[in-house]
Amino acid sequence: MIDPNIKNVIEIEGLNSYYGEKQILSNISLQVERKEVMVIMGHSGSGKSTLLRHMIGLNTAESGSIKLLGKEITGLNRKELYELRKHIGVAFQNGALFSSMTLQENVELPLHEHTRLDHNTIRIMSRLKLELMNLSDNESLMPAELSGGMLKRAGLARAVIMDPEILFFDEPSAGLDPVTSAELDDLILQLRDALNMTIIVVTHELESAFKIADRITVIDNGQQIITGNKQTIRNSTDNRIVSMLERRAMNENIDADDYLNKLTRS
Amino acid sequence: MSMNKLHALSSLEAMLIRFGIAGVFLFETARTIVLPPYSIKPLIKQVAFVGARSLLVIVVAGLFVGMVIALQFYDTLVRFGSVSLLGSAVGLSLIRELGPVLTALMVIGRAGSAMCAEIGIMRVDNQIDALECMAIDPYRYLFAPRILAGIICVPILTAVFILVGIFGGYFVGVILFGVSPGSYFQGMSDTILNRDLFMGFSKSLVFGLLIVWIACDKGFNLHLDKHGAYGSEGVSRITTESVVISSIAILFSDYLLSALIL
Ligand SMILES: Nc1ncnc2c1ncn2[C@@H]1O[C@H](COP(=O)(O)OP(=O)(O)OP(=O)(O)O)[C@@H](O)[C@H]1O
Ligand SMILES: [Mg+2]
């Protein structure tokens, strides 16, 4: 059904997106190639998660075209969309584990739902993935008993349990200590190299982005500023990119009176 | 679905669209109930959830309701010298009205509200999105077993309520006031027709469907809420709303069904 030699696993053309009256994304065009790590960067609230939701068909675009694994997703019915989604894995910003199930049950759910494997095989497969994420001692805990970093890794374990062709990962390192987030970066690279996944990572951590990315897309306020490899980003003369790379605040020259007005406006 | 623009419409249009969405919700769930694959384990879990949550409170409520209507009817019937009608008066009012309606209201409070909050939290926490991304149909996985559990449990709980209520009435009428046990039960079995049983049963069936439908739809479509709160505040508000709406829906459809069947 899906062409295994397709070059671009994701192709977005002229995507516009709204929440109510508010435009969140304007005219985004983006290709993600097979087996690359594409990092989407931008400030908090710039629309990164929204772009990710469009790629996996959770949000409906106002206009534009989104092709996932060669299929235009806006035209698909639910059944076709589900069929397509069996080839992807999504790790959400907050983990989004099912709170009524243990960690292990969470990770095993897709296997129980989509395969006819017997119980023991499923157990072994889930243990493998939990082991990979350093979670093997915690498999019988409930999500409420896990730390933030554990939740993230558990969400990742569940996302890759079916060995998807494309992995979407929203904010792997946000809120984690540097060591744990570096470990997650290594994991992402391992997934690409060992399991041949195409990986799309949303992050606002500069260091992590440059460590894992093959290419980077920067989004600011819903506008796509640049897409290119690390060198292209580094050589960019765009103010917003330069300030991002130098970790400067975006609007440094704030007028004190303006600022006070902003804080005290009714 | 492009629900983003829901907020901009007039309240009447928005309400009609919202009804449509609830209709689609029921249709999609019904489709997954009818079409294979069927899974029995989640259904058992939901039946246990609804049943276990509601059983004790149904027994207690049934007992006292049976007792109080026996008390009231006894006091009325004594004035006409026809206490022999006590059994049928208690039985009929329990089977036709009080059993189905009060059971439904109890189930709303115990199981419906919990269900709505659970689904609402799943929506807020992206768990429903996660299901969709794993290509697991939430209608089949979450709602089919819940709707079926409502349709199965509420009639059974209603029967329990009625039986316990009849016993409560027996206790007050026969043991406290000395009505003869023979006339209590004889009167009952003489006057209660199949039509009365059918009315009680069909009401409880419809109520079971309504309760779960409203609770699950409210939680599932939390993000369409026109007040636009998504966090825990949104969950608490839609849970309250679902309790109010399903209670009113029960009382309204109770009248409708009575009028239809009588
Ligand atoms: N469900 C929603 N309804 C209305 N507006 C929303 C909704 N979700 C997000 N937004 C708005 O869309 C914009 C982009 O949000 P998004 O979550 O895509 O940002 P982000 O880049 O992922 O930020 P972060 O790095 O903080 O996760 C924000 O301004 C936000 O207020
Ligand atoms: Mg985000």
Side-chain angles (χ1 to χ4, degrees):
Chain A
M1 184 189 110
I2 284 156
D3 177 7
N5 298 317
I6 190 169
K7 181 163 174 282
N8 292 330
V9 291
I10 295 176
E11 288 183 14
I12 300 176
E13 265 323 309
L15 167 67
N16 286 295
S17 159
Y18 291 78
Y19 276 124
E21 298 289 291
K22 189 171 151 203
Q23 181 151 19
I24 306 296
L25 295 173
S26 15
N27 199 21
I28 307 276
S29 295
L30 184 64
Q31 280 84 36
V32 181
E33 287 170 24
R34 177 169 287 270
K35 288 171 199 166
E36 73 169 337
V37 175
M38 169 65 89
V39 171
I40 299 168
M41 293 193 71
H43 297 281
S44 186
S46 56
K48 308 182 294 292
S49 296
T50 307
L51 177 58
L52 198 83
R53 292 176 65 86
H54 278 289
M55 293 182 186
I56 53 189
L58 284 177
N59 283 15
T60 319
E62 181 74 21
S63 64
S65 132
I66 300 163
K67 283 202 183 119
L68 181 61
L69 290 164
K71 294 226 156 39
E72 178 67 52
I73 55 176
T74 38
L76 298 181
N77 63 31
R78 268 235 314 283
K79 209 174 151 213
E80 293 166 325
L81 193 56
Y82 284 154
E83 212 41 61
L84 200 55
R85 281 183 183 150
K86 286 182 187 166
H87 301 268
I88 69 170
V90 185
F92 282 85
Q93 201 163 352
N94 61 347
L97 297 182
F98 303 116
S99 37
S100 60
M101 299 179 185
T102 66
L103 187 45
Q104 184 162 46
E105 287 164 345
N106 262 287
V107 174
E108 289 177 357
L109 182 67
L111 291 173
H112 281 299
E113 290 293 314
H114 296 311
T115 70
R116 291 171 176 281
L117 299 172
D118 67 273
H119 220 75
N120 286 328
T121 316
I122 288 183
R123 185 115 308 175
I124 290 168
M125 291 176 75
S126 72
R127 292 228 165 105
L128 272 173
K129 290 295 189 306
L130 287 169
E131 188 76 44
L132 190 64
M133 308 296 157
N134 262 328
L135 284 168
S136 34
D137 297 336
N138 311 94
E139 59 184 29
S140 55
L141 296 184
M142 303 302 275
E145 300 171 302
L146 299 178
S147 73
M150 287 155 109
L151 282 175
K152 240 165 218 165
R153 281 179 283 150
L156 183 58
R158 190 178 64 182
V160 297
I161 189 71
M162 299 279 287
D163 292 330
E165 289 170 47
I166 315 177
L167 169 68
F168 297 85
F169 198 170
D170 199 349
E171 302 276 9
S173 40
L176 300 183
D177 64 87
V179 177
T180 315
S181 76
E183 279 171 11
L184 264 179
D185 291 341
D186 291 336
L187 256 176
I188 290 172
L189 292 175
Q190 219 175 318
L191 287 171
R192 180 195 59 184
D193 298 334
L195 299 172
N196 278 326
M197 286 180 196
T198 309
I199 303 178
I200 291 142
V201 178
V202 164
T203 187
H204 50 237
E205 304 273 328
L206 208 58
E207 206 172 314
S208 143
F210 274 91
K211 183 170 162 196
I212 58 177
D214 293 314
R215 288 195 302 147
I216 296 177
T217 295
V218 182
I219 293 186
D220 186 53
N221 235 326
Q223 311 275 346
Q224 179 177 10
I225 302 180
I226 194 171
T227 297
N229 59 26
K230 290 178 226 180
Q231 207 49 48
T232 318
I233 307 286
R234 283 208 190 89
N235 295 342
S236 166
T237 50
D238 189 303
N239 256 333
R240 293 163 293 187
I241 307 281
V242 173
S243 69
M244 185 185 85
L245 292 180
E246 292 173 3
R247 302 176 191 232
R248 265 191 280 125
M250 282 303 277
N251 34 8
E252 51 255 80
N253 302 321
I254 298 172
D255 183 79
D257 287 336
D258 276 355
Y259 189 58
L260 201 61
N261 280 336
K262 200 172 164 186
L263 292 180
T264 55
R265 72 164 179 238
S266 53
Chain B
M1 231 175 284
S2 161
M3 282 314 119
N4 299 323
K5 303 203 171 66
L6 206 58
H7 311 260
L9 299 173
S10 79
S11 55
L12 178 69
E13 284 172 311
M15 202 166 89
L16 286 178
I17 291 178
R18 189 63 186 80
F19 272 120
I21 292 168
V24 170
F25 177 90
L26 186 61
F27 174 78
E28 294 286 354
T29 309
R31 207 169 63 168
T32 61
I33 290 176
V34 176
L35 298 177
Y38 313 105
S39 41
I40 195 82
K41 245 168 86 182
L43 175 60
I44 294 173
K45 201 174 146 207
Q46 289 305 319
V47 168
F49 174 82
V50 177
R53 278 210 156 230
S54 319
L55 189 61
L56 184 66
V57 67
I58 296 278
V59 168
V60 174
L63 186 69
F64 286 111
V65 168
M67 286 167 66
V68 77
I69 55 174
L71 188 68
Q72 294 282 6
F73 273 126
Y74 180 82
D75 187 65
T76 312
L77 291 171
V78 135
R79 300 178 199 181
F80 301 103
S82 44
V83 287
S84 59
L85 292 178
L86 183 67
S88 46
V90 169
L92 278 178
S93 44
L94 278 173
I95 288 170
R96 285 163 51 153
E97 282 299 329
L98 295 173
V101 170
L102 292 177
T103 303
L105 295 178
M106 300 285 162
V107 173
I108 289 173
R110 294 289 298 173
S113 58
M115 233 179 236
C116 180
E118 186 193 2
I119 303 286
I121 287 170
M122 292 186 77
R123 169 61 79 191
V124 168
D125 194 39
N126 287 334
Q127 292 174 33
I128 291 185
D129 291 333
L131 268 184
E132 296 257 11
C133 288
M134 289 185 253
I136 299 173
D137 185 352
Y139 293 108
R140 185 175 62 74
Y141 184 76
L142 293 176
F143 304 127
R146 282 174 171 77
I147 294 265
L148 277 177
I151 295 175
I152 294 169
C153 286
V154 173
I156 294 174
L157 290 167
T158 303
V160 171
F161 187 102
I162 292 168
L163 289 176
V164 175
I166 287 173
F167 172 78
Y170 178 89
F171 178 76
V172 168
V174 176
I175 296 178
L176 294 187
F177 292 128
V179 176
S180 92
S183 81
Y184 184 80
F185 286 117
Q186 194 58 45
M188 217 178 265
S189 64
D190 285 349
T191 42
I192 293 170
L193 307 172
N194 279 339
R195 197 183 61 172
D196 302 315
L197 294 176
F198 172 73
M199 182 188 284
F201 178 68
S202 50
K203 278 182 179 177
S204 65
L205 215 59
V206 172
F207 295 168
L209 174 69
L210 279 175
I211 292 168
V212 180
W213 177 20
I214 292 170
C216 289
D217 168 83
K218 270 279 176 190
F220 185 64
N221 290 315
L222 168 71
H223 56 304
L224 305 181
D225 190 285
K226 66 175 181 297
H227 301 289
Y230 300 95
S232 39
E233 195 261 323
V235 174
S236 81
R237 198 190 45 246
I238 51 126
T239 304
T240 316
E241 270 179 31
S242 114
V243 167
V244 172
I245 293 173
S246 43
S247 302
I248 290 174
I250 295 301
L251 297 172
F252 176 73
S253 61
D254 180 51
Y255 178 80
L256 218 62
L257 285 169
S258 301
L260 269 175
I261 297 172
L262 282 179

